[in-house]
């Protein structure tokens, strides 16, 4: 068919190896759910039919990446795979210095420890769980400066990930630029529903922060998906490649943290990139303490090779069109059935609006957690809560954060599931929606101190 955009989003690859998955009965799923304390993170993967918990580390690698795994240079120091990874990141993302880490939070940890002083303030376009926690552990307070539209699941603005520049200016005026080590700019914004940041917004943020000497550190986890949305939605970019757009976007920032488990099409890995020489020197020193030597940072040589090759594949326009096309296929099926989801459809996931499913539940009855459990019980589809449980507690007051959004994320792993899997998922979501009046909510019976959503346990109310 070639690259004829009149045609639908079919994948630019075919299947060479398959992995069987287990089919379960409703009794088996009820038992598994109870044992897991109604937390989908605590289910065994074996008991899951279609696993839409996360797109993190769940990617299918290509034959070229697997071939690269055989080329692993497992030297402790100076592995050739590191140099290939470093030059690939420089070429596609454009940053000067690279520090490898075992995954994204390893990079967040290094960055936070190096750049944040106690009492600092870190603005960001909505929080991310591990990112904010590392900022707080280093002594900073996180301040949300995303546009208001991001908090409204029904708002159809095309760039709901944008930073509100007025909020940013107000914050600088209030606390002073010296207290702001950097702005954390996520592209796309996971917690807002996979929503993109426009190029114009990144450019304007660069102008504003440059005036005050404030750095921009990007959360580049899904920056390639962000680049695809710019190509599709922003004036002046329709004829540019995803690859070119990505590099321009990165040029407005000073560095990034990266979870290689998302865009870069691998199962493990990450990096910290930084243009500033002094910060790089410190990061290259500190990585030895927490991750490993600065030429592997917790990754095997073969994993660095797979990630370098994954980066090359991830910026292909045909790949991105099929990747986001599949997510939109699922989202549009739900929209057609009048199921309330976050609009516009995000890049890596479809987000169900749990408040609109269950208006009878208060936020303390965990509507999104309840919905994720109901979906698993119905069909064995595993999703993730992104609401009050994920938001955690305010470290100062000890009270729950009450996020405006109470969402369930149906996250699509890259190159893993078929269109028929998306059909079954949509059928199950629609059935759970039809039965929505029966839901009674959950009670939390065990709450861990950090990132509670991973291990909290619940009972049916
Ligand atoms: C996954 C993710 C991270 C953390 O990366 P890990 O590889 O899971 O440690 C940070 N930011 C965003 C937006 C993410 O989605």
């Amino acid at each position: 068919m070639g690259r004829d955009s009149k045609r639908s989003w079919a994948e630019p690859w075919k299947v060479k190896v398959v992995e069987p998955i287990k089919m379960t009965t409703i009794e088996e799923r009820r038992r598994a759910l109870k044992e897991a304390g109604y937390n989908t993170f605590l289910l065994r993967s074996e008991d899951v039919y279609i696993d839409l918990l996360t797109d993190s580390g769940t990617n299918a690698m290509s034959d070229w990446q697997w071939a690269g795994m055989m080329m692993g240079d497992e030297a402790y120091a100076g592995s050739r795979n590191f140099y290939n990874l470093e030059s690939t990141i420089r070429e596609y993302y454009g940053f000067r210095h690279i520090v490898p880490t075992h995954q994204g939070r390893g990079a967040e940890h290094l960055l936070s420890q190096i750049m944040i002083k106690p009492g600092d303030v870190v603005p960001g376009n909505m929080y991310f769980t591990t990112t904010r926690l590392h900022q707080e552990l280093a002594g900073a307070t996180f301040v949300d400066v995303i546009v208001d539209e991001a908090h409204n699941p029904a708002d159809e603005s095309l760039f709901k990930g944008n930073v509100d520049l007025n909020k940013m200016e107000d914050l600088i005026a209030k606390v002073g630029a010296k207290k702001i080590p950097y702005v954390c700019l996520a592209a796309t914004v996971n917690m807002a529903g996979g929503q993109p940041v426009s190029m114009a917004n990144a450019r304007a943020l660069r102008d504003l922060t440059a005036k005050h000497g404030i750095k921009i550190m990007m959360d580049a986890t899904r920056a390639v998906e962000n680049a695809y949305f710019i190509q599709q939605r922003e004036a002046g970019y329709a004829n540019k490649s995803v690859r070119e757009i990505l590099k321009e976007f990165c040029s407005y920032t000073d560095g990034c943290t990266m979870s290689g488990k998302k865009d870069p099409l691998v199962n493990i890995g990450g990096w910290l990139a930084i243009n500033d020489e002094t910060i790089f020197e410190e990061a290259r020193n500190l990585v030895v303490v927490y991750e490993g030597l600065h030429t592997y940072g917790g990754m095997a040589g073969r994993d660095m090779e797979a990630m370098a090759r994954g980066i090359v594949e991830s910026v292909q326009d045909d790949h991105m069109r099929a990747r986001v096309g599949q997510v939109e296929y699922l989202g549009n099926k739900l929209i057609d059935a009048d199921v309330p989801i976050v609009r516009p459809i995000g890049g890596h996931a479809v987000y169900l609006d749990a408040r609109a499913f269950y208006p009878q539940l208060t936020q303390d009855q965990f509507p999104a957690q309840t919905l994720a459990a109901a979906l698993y019980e119905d069909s064995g589809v595993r999703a993730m809560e992104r609401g009050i449980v994920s938001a955690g507690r305010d470290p100062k007051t000890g009270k729950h954060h009450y996020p405006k959004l109470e969402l369930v994320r149906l996250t699509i792993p890259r190159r893993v599931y078929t269109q028929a899997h998306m059909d079954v998922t949509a059928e199950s979501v629609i059935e759970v929606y039809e039965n929505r009046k029966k839901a009674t909510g959950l009670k939390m019976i065990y709450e861990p101190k950090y990132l509670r959503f991973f291990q909290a346990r619940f009972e049916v109310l």
Side-chain angles (χ1 to χ4, degrees), residues 38 358 360-362 364-367 369-371 438-444 458-461:
Y38 297 86
Y358 300 141
Q360 74 270 33
L361 301 185
T362 65
D364 294 320
Q365 294 169 328
F366 309 110
Q369 193 78 32
T370 303
L371 177 52
K438 292 185 200 148
T440 54
L442 294 168
K443 183 173 106 185
M444 198 174 350
F458 301 82
E459 261 171 21
V460 177
L461 274 174

Side-chain angles (χ1 to χ4, degrees), residues 69-345:
M69 297 284 281
M70 290 301 293
M71 308 295 285
D73 171 4
E74 306 305 341
Y76 189 89
S79 161
R80 74 167 169 250
N81 310 116
F82 168 72
Y83 296 106
N84 183 30
L85 175 64
E86 183 186 49
S87 65
T88 306
I89 296 168
R90 281 183 181 149
E91 183 180 339
Y92 289 91
Y93 288 81
F95 297 115
R96 225 167 286 151
H97 303 297
I98 314 301
V99 179
T101 59
H102 76 286
Q103 60 183 85
R105 68 199 70 183
E108 291 168 353
H109 177 216
L110 298 178
L111 180 75
S112 302
Q113 290 300 320
I114 292 167
M115 290 192 69
I116 293 170
K117 299 183 302 309
D120 279 353
V121 172
V122 179
N125 51 345
M126 207 172 265
Y127 83 99
F128 184 74
T129 53
T130 58
T131 320
R132 183 178 67 190
L133 182 57
H134 278 300
Q135 291 161 358
E136 288 172 350
L137 289 173
T141 306
F142 168 83
V143 177
D144 189 1
V145 292
I146 202 165
V147 291
D148 287 340
E149 300 92 280
H151 295 284
N152 177 2
D155 187 293
E156 304 238 21
S157 304
L158 293 179
F159 290 102
K160 284 166 79 174
N162 280 354
V163 170
D164 185 325
L165 297 167
N166 292 325
K167 288 186 191 169
M168 191 60 213
E169 272 185 287
D170 290 350
L171 182 70
I172 297 170
K174 190 169 141 215
V175 304
K178 284 214 171 63
K179 285 237 178 258
I180 305 178
Y182 60 90
V183 185
C184 181
L185 179 68
T188 58
V189 184
N190 192 352
M191 301 303 275
Q195 304 295 326
V197 177
S198 72
M199 193 72 88
N201 188 250
R203 208 180 292 125
L205 182 67
R206 172 76 297 170
D207 290 345
L208 172 63
T209 52
K211 273 195 282 184
H212 298 277
I214 297 170
K215 289 196 162 40
I216 301 176
M217 294 303 298
M218 181 169 45
D219 182 340
T221 296
R222 297 182 188 81
V224 186
E225 289 169 6
N226 198 88
Y228 176 76
F229 281 123
I230 289 174
Q231 183 193 58
Q232 298 299 308
R233 297 178 183 177
E234 192 163 351
Y237 289 93
N239 294 319
K240 293 214 161 107
S241 66
V242 167
R243 178 178 169 177
E244 289 170 293
I245 296 169
L246 174 69
K247 202 152 174 186
E248 183 188 336
F249 195 93
C250 293
S251 76
Y252 302 127
T253 71
D254 299 287
C256 74
T257 53
M258 175 55 119
S259 171
K261 306 170 73 170
K262 323 285 171 58
D263 272 350
L265 294 168
V266 286
N267 306 117
I268 193 73
W271 73 76
L272 171 66
I274 186 85
N275 290 334
D276 184 282
E277 202 73 41
T278 317
I279 299 170
F280 167 62
E281 284 299 333
E282 232 181 295
R284 187 168 63 169
N285 191 200
L286 204 59
V287 73
V288 184
V289 182
Y290 293 109
E291 305 277 319
L293 195 70
H294 61 277
T295 55
Y296 76 87
M299 285 179 282
R302 55 179 169 267
D303 292 329
M304 292 191 281
E305 186 62 28
M307 187 155 69
R309 293 178 181 214
I311 290 167
V312 175
E313 292 182 346
S314 74
V315 301
Q316 309 292 321
D317 286 25
D318 294 340
H319 161 68
M320 262 306 144
R321 181 162 175 261
R323 160 40 172 181
V324 177
Q326 185 178 39
V327 178
E328 289 178 339
Y329 173 81
L330 173 63
N332 283 323
K333 284 209 137 206
L334 297 178
I335 289 173
D336 290 346
D338 292 324
V339 174
I341 67 167
V342 175
R343 314 280 287 264
I345 298 162

Side-chain angles (χ1 to χ4, degrees), residues 373-413:
L375 188 61
Y376 172 76
E377 183 182 288
D378 181 70
S379 61
V381 169
R382 171 156 71 169
M384 183 194 291
E385 194 262 9
R386 288 275 96 146
I388 188 170
V389 185
S390 294
R393 289 179 187 274
D394 186 311
K396 289 205 186 88
T397 66
K399 295 216 165 72
H400 290 303
H401 285 295
Y402 285 90
K404 293 205 183 86
L405 299 178
E406 193 64 34
L407 307 176
V408 167
R409 191 179 76 180
L410 301 168
T411 340
I412 315 301

